[in-house]
Coordinates of all heavy atoms in Angstrom, one line a residue:
V1 N -54.6 -6.3 -42.8 CA -54.9 -5.7 -41.5 C -56.4 -5.8 -41.3 O -56.9 -6.1 -40.2 CB -54.4 -4.3 -41.4 CG1 -54.9 -3.6 -40.1 CG2 -52.9 -4.3 -41.3
V2 N -57.2 -5.4 -42.3 CA -58.7 -5.5 -42.1 C -59.1 -6.9 -41.8 O -59.9 -7.2 -40.9 CB -59.4 -5.0 -43.4 CG1 -60.9 -5.4 -43.4 CG2 -59.2 -3.5 -43.5
R3 N -58.6 -7.9 -42.5 CA -58.9 -9.3 -42.3 C -58.5 -9.7 -40.9 O -59.3 -10.4 -40.2 CB -58.3 -10.2 -43.3 CG -58.7 -11.7 -43.2 CD -58.0 -12.5 -44.3 NE -58.1 -12.1 -45.6 CZ -59.2 -12.1 -46.4 NH1 -60.3 -12.7 -46.0 NH2 -59.1 -11.7 -47.7
L4 N -57.3 -9.3 -40.5 CA -56.9 -9.7 -39.1 C -57.7 -9.0 -38.0 O -58.0 -9.7 -37.0 CB -55.4 -9.3 -38.9 CG -54.4 -10.2 -39.7 CD1 -53.0 -9.5 -39.8 CD2 -54.3 -11.6 -39.1
N5 N -58.1 -7.8 -38.2 CA -58.9 -7.1 -37.3 C -60.3 -7.8 -37.2 O -60.9 -7.9 -36.1 CB -59.1 -5.6 -37.6 CG -57.9 -4.8 -37.2 OD1 -57.1 -5.2 -36.3 ND2 -57.7 -3.7 -38.0
R6 N -60.8 -8.2 -38.3 CA -62.2 -8.8 -38.4 C -62.2 -10.2 -37.8 O -63.1 -10.5 -37.1 CB -62.7 -8.7 -39.8 CG -64.1 -9.3 -40.0 CD -64.5 -9.4 -41.4 NE -63.6 -10.5 -42.0 CZ -63.2 -10.5 -43.3 NH1 -63.5 -9.5 -44.1 NH2 -62.5 -11.5 -43.7
D7 N -61.2 -11.0 -38.1 CA -61.2 -12.4 -37.8 C -60.5 -12.8 -36.6 O -60.7 -13.9 -36.1 CB -60.7 -13.2 -39.0 CG -61.5 -13.0 -40.3 OD1 -62.7 -12.6 -40.2 OD2 -61.0 -13.4 -41.4
F8 N -59.6 -12.0 -36.1 CA -58.7 -12.4 -35.0 C -58.6 -11.3 -34.0 O -58.0 -10.2 -34.3 CB -57.3 -12.8 -35.4 CG -57.4 -14.0 -36.4 CD1 -57.3 -13.8 -37.8 CD2 -57.6 -15.3 -36.0 CE1 -57.4 -14.8 -38.7 CE2 -57.6 -16.3 -36.9 CZ -57.5 -16.1 -38.2
Q9 N -59.1 -11.5 -32.8 CA -59.0 -10.5 -31.7 C -57.9 -10.9 -30.8 O -57.7 -12.1 -30.5 CB -60.3 -10.3 -31.0 CG -61.5 -9.9 -31.9 CD -61.2 -8.6 -32.6 OE1 -60.7 -7.6 -32.0 NE2 -61.5 -8.5 -33.9
V10 N -57.3 -9.9 -30.1 CA -56.3 -10.2 -29.1 C -57.0 -10.8 -27.9 O -57.9 -10.2 -27.4 CB -55.5 -9.0 -28.7 CG1 -54.5 -9.3 -27.6 CG2 -54.8 -8.3 -29.9
P11 N -56.6 -12.1 -27.6 CA -57.2 -12.7 -26.4 C -56.9 -11.8 -25.1 O -55.9 -11.2 -25.0 CB -56.5 -14.0 -26.3 CG -55.9 -14.3 -27.6 CD -55.6 -12.9 -28.2
I12 N -57.9 -11.8 -24.2 CA -57.8 -11.1 -23.0 C -56.6 -11.7 -22.2 O -56.4 -12.9 -22.1 CB -59.1 -11.2 -22.1 CG1 -60.2 -10.6 -22.9 CG2 -58.9 -10.6 -20.8 CD1 -61.6 -10.9 -22.3
G13 N -55.8 -10.8 -21.7 CA -54.6 -11.2 -21.0 C -53.4 -11.3 -21.8 O -52.3 -11.4 -21.2
L14 N -53.5 -11.4 -23.1 CA -52.3 -11.5 -24.0 C -51.7 -10.1 -24.2 O -52.3 -9.2 -24.7 CB -52.6 -12.1 -25.3 CG -51.4 -12.2 -26.3 CD1 -50.4 -13.2 -25.8 CD2 -51.9 -12.7 -27.7
T15 N -50.5 -9.9 -23.7 CA -49.8 -8.7 -23.9 C -48.5 -9.0 -24.7 O -47.8 -9.9 -24.5 CB -49.4 -8.0 -22.6 OG1 -48.6 -8.9 -21.8 CG2 -50.6 -7.5 -21.9
L16 N -48.3 -8.2 -25.7 CA -47.1 -8.4 -26.6 C -46.0 -7.4 -26.1 O -46.3 -6.3 -25.7 CB -47.4 -8.0 -28.0 CG -48.5 -8.8 -28.7 CD1 -48.8 -8.3 -30.1 CD2 -48.2 -10.3 -28.7
S17 N -44.8 -8.0 -26.1 CA -43.7 -7.1 -25.7 C -43.5 -6.1 -26.8 O -44.1 -6.2 -27.9 CB -42.4 -7.9 -25.5 OG -42.2 -8.6 -26.8
P18 N -42.8 -5.0 -26.5 CA -42.7 -4.0 -27.5 C -42.1 -4.5 -28.9 O -41.4 -5.5 -28.9 CB -41.6 -3.0 -26.9 CG -41.6 -3.3 -25.5 CD -42.0 -4.7 -25.3
P19 N -42.6 -4.0 -30.0 CA -42.1 -4.5 -31.3 C -40.6 -4.3 -31.4 O -40.1 -3.3 -31.0 CB -42.9 -3.6 -32.3 CG -43.3 -2.4 -31.5 CD -43.4 -2.8 -30.1
A20 N -40.0 -5.4 -31.9 CA -38.6 -5.3 -32.1 C -38.2 -5.6 -33.5 O -37.1 -5.8 -33.9 CB -37.9 -6.4 -31.2
D21 N -39.2 -5.6 -34.4 CA -38.9 -5.8 -35.8 C -38.6 -4.5 -36.5 O -39.3 -3.5 -36.4 CB -40.2 -6.4 -36.5 CG -40.6 -7.7 -35.8 OD1 -39.7 -8.5 -35.5 OD2 -41.8 -8.0 -35.6
D22 N -37.5 -4.5 -37.3 CA -37.0 -3.4 -38.0 C -37.4 -3.5 -39.4 O -37.4 -4.5 -40.0 CB -35.5 -3.3 -37.9 CG -35.0 -2.8 -36.5 OD1 -35.7 -2.1 -35.9 OD2 -33.9 -3.2 -36.2
L23 N -37.7 -2.3 -40.0 CA -38.0 -2.2 -41.4 C -36.7 -1.8 -42.1 O -36.4 -0.6 -42.2 CB -39.1 -1.2 -41.7 CG -40.5 -1.5 -41.2 CD1 -41.4 -0.3 -41.5 CD2 -41.0 -2.7 -41.9
D24 N -35.9 -2.8 -42.4 CA -34.6 -2.5 -43.0 C -34.6 -2.9 -44.5 O -33.7 -3.6 -44.9 CB -33.5 -3.2 -42.2 CG -32.1 -2.8 -42.6 OD1 -31.9 -1.7 -43.1 OD2 -31.2 -3.6 -42.5
G25 N -35.6 -2.4 -45.2 CA -35.6 -2.7 -46.6 C -36.4 -4.0 -46.9 O -36.9 -4.7 -46.1
L26 N -36.5 -4.2 -48.2 CA -37.3 -5.4 -48.7 C -36.9 -6.7 -48.1 O -37.7 -7.5 -47.8 CB -37.2 -5.4 -50.3 CG -37.9 -4.3 -51.0 CD1 -37.6 -4.3 -52.5 CD2 -39.4 -4.4 -50.8
S27 N -35.5 -6.9 -48.0 CA -35.1 -8.2 -47.5 C -35.6 -8.5 -46.1 O -36.1 -9.6 -45.8 CB -33.5 -8.3 -47.5 OG -33.0 -8.2 -48.8
S28 N -35.5 -7.5 -45.2 CA -35.9 -7.7 -43.9 C -37.5 -7.9 -43.8 O -38.0 -8.7 -43.0 CB -35.5 -6.6 -42.9 OG -36.2 -5.4 -43.2
I29 N -38.2 -7.1 -44.6 CA -39.6 -7.2 -44.6 C -40.1 -8.6 -45.0 O -40.9 -9.2 -44.3 CB -40.2 -6.1 -45.5 CG1 -40.0 -4.7 -44.9 CG2 -41.7 -6.4 -45.7 CD1 -40.2 -3.6 -45.9
V30 N -39.5 -9.1 -46.1 CA -39.8 -10.5 -46.5 C -39.4 -11.5 -45.5 O -40.2 -12.4 -45.2 CB -39.1 -10.8 -47.9 CG1 -39.2 -12.2 -48.3 CG2 -39.7 -9.9 -49.0
T31 N -38.2 -11.4 -44.9 CA -37.8 -12.4 -43.9 C -38.7 -12.4 -42.7 O -39.1 -13.5 -42.2 CB -36.3 -12.0 -43.4 OG1 -35.5 -12.1 -44.5 CG2 -35.9 -13.0 -42.3
I32 N -39.1 -11.2 -42.2 CA -40.0 -11.2 -41.0 C -41.4 -11.7 -41.3 O -41.9 -12.6 -40.6 CB -40.1 -9.7 -40.5 CG1 -38.7 -9.3 -39.9 CG2 -41.2 -9.6 -39.5 CD1 -38.6 -7.9 -39.6

């Protein structure tokens, strides 16, 4: 997260739809 915050900023005008990723255990985390 620190690396992403430092090296990549959200471009102006880019909006992300609400997060739809579920944390359903290790399998889902790895898949995502």
Side-chain angles (χ1 to χ4, degrees):
V1 169
V2 166
R3 186 180 309 282
L4 288 166
N5 283 334
R6 183 189 66 217
D7 297 342
F8 301 98
Q9 300 302 316
V10 178
I12 297 171
L14 177 66
T15 55
L16 301 177
S17 58
D21 301 318
D22 287 329
L23 293 174
D24 188 26
L26 290 170
S27 296
S28 72
I29 294 167
V30 169
T31 299
I32 290 166

